[in-house]
Amino acid sequence: MSHRVGVIAGDGIGPEVVAEARKVIDAAGVVLDVVDYDLGARRYLRTGEVLPAAVLAELAGLDAILLGAIGSPDVAPGILERGLLLELRFRLDLYVNLRPFLAPPAVDLVVVRENTEGVYAGEGGILRKGTPHEVATQGSVNTRMGVERCVRFAFAQAESRARRHLTLVHKTNVLAYAGDLWQRVFDEVAAEHPDVATAYAHVDAACIHLVETPERFDVVVTDNLFGDILTDLAGAVSGGIGVAASANLNPARTGPSLFEPVHGSAPDLVGTGRANPVAAIRSAAMMLEYLGEADAAARIDKAVAEPGGLAGSTSEIGDTIAGRV
């Protein structure tokens, strides 16, 4: 079966790590029908476009999307993040951000982050801008549907793992409305899954636990903002964000899902050979599993984790993993 995949190599080290991911996919024997897209800082600086409607329509018709990295010091913060990354999440209904972390023996966990609501939904505004009496508001949008579908996905993840344990992370003692909705939905869905053990942690306590006792976590479910922060911390305690992969999923498969390394574009590393391609390669493996290429995905994951470690330049690490596959 041929899979039609869009590749957005993006900016900075994005093209370099994506090249290694594609090298490893080829080594795994999976043939993709690849469509390359020029999106990111270079296109924006050249044309003023971030995500043209015609390109979005094309992307919506693909089977999956692999993204390298987005961002440039020449583009004001927020333009690409909101106009490309968040727009793809909202328009393609990529409501689950799935991030696995593995660093034996202490770390073996998966974070399920709600990906289309919370403070990222864009509710809020500014009054009397530029005056001494300026007011800025930023609301957290949490719908019953959005919370429940994320929680149900998290329970399914927990059921698929050996420990069958799920932790809700929030701040229910302070965020009385959003936290109450998350806790009530979590408890109601938990009653349907008696085989899954559950726990709760305030987000600040969860940060401490991730550093001191990460082994207490199996699957974590949380909202958009808390998930963004927790997963960066989890990346730091499990080998660094250079090895952290992620999937932005549309579990209903009404459109493509998007796979990307957690790291940024790192313009200071461009052309140095120091960019770590492991996160991009692991993200590609997640994409292959989503596309039904489970055997190839497993071989790539095994190759990445093989004893002996990984060293060398960006391309040398890619060559090593491709050779192991």
Side-chain angles (χ1 to χ4, degrees), residues 90 114-124 138-144 146-147 170 177-178 181-182 223-225:
F90 298 149
E114 199 290 318
N115 210 31
T116 60
E117 296 189 345
V119 295
Y120 291 79
E123 191 278 333
Q138 191 82 55
S140 179
V141 177
N142 299 265
T143 68
R144 172 84 190 204
V147 173
H170 211 279
Y177 306 117
L181 175 60
W182 274 87
D223 83 346
N224 211 335
L225 178 60

Side-chain angles (χ1 to χ4, degrees), residues 181-235:
L181 175 60
W182 274 87
Q183 186 70 71
R184 282 187 291 110
V185 170
F186 184 83
D187 292 343
E188 291 169 17
V189 178
E192 302 173 17
H193 299 269
D195 56 333
V196 176
T198 60
Y200 171 81
H202 290 323
V203 64
D204 44 351
C207 289
I208 296 172
H209 298 326
L210 270 174
V211 173
E212 295 183 344
T213 54
E215 62 273 11
R216 74 164 53 204
F217 295 114
D218 180 24
V219 179
V220 172
V221 63
T222 189
D223 83 346
N224 211 335
L225 178 60
F226 294 151
D228 197 358
I229 297 167
L230 278 175
T231 52
D232 279 359
L233 179 57

Side-chain angles (χ1 to χ4, degrees), residues 13 17 68 98-104 107 109 231-247 259-264 266 269 274-286 300-301 303-306 309-312 314 317-318 321 324:
I13 63 171
V17 297
L98 185 67
R99 297 192 181 183
F101 300 95
L102 180 63
V107 182
L109 66 99
T231 52
D232 279 359
L233 179 57
V237 301
S238 59
I241 59 173
V243 299
S246 75
F259 302 82
E260 59 175 325
V262 172
H263 61 67
L269 297 182
R274 291 165 48 209
N276 190 338
V278 168
I281 292 168
R282 293 183 62 226
S283 297
M286 294 179 75
I300 292 172
D301 286 336
V304 170
E306 187 174 309
L310 294 164
T314 305
I317 292 173
I321 296 172
R324 292 175 178 176

Side-chain angles (χ1 to χ4, degrees), residues 24-82:
V24 173
I25 291 172
D26 290 342
V30 179
V31 179
L32 301 177
D33 180 6
V34 173
V35 184
D36 290 295
Y37 287 91
D38 175 23
L39 294 171
R42 287 178 301 176
R43 179 165 185 160
Y44 174 75
L45 292 170
R46 188 175 70 250
T47 69
E49 298 175 309
V50 178
L51 181 60
V55 176
L56 176 60
E58 282 187 30
L59 291 168
L62 300 172
D63 297 319
I65 302 167
L66 180 64
L67 185 147
I70 295 295
S72 166
D74 297 323
V75 178
I79 292 175
L80 298 174
E81 293 86 348
R82 291 191 299 267

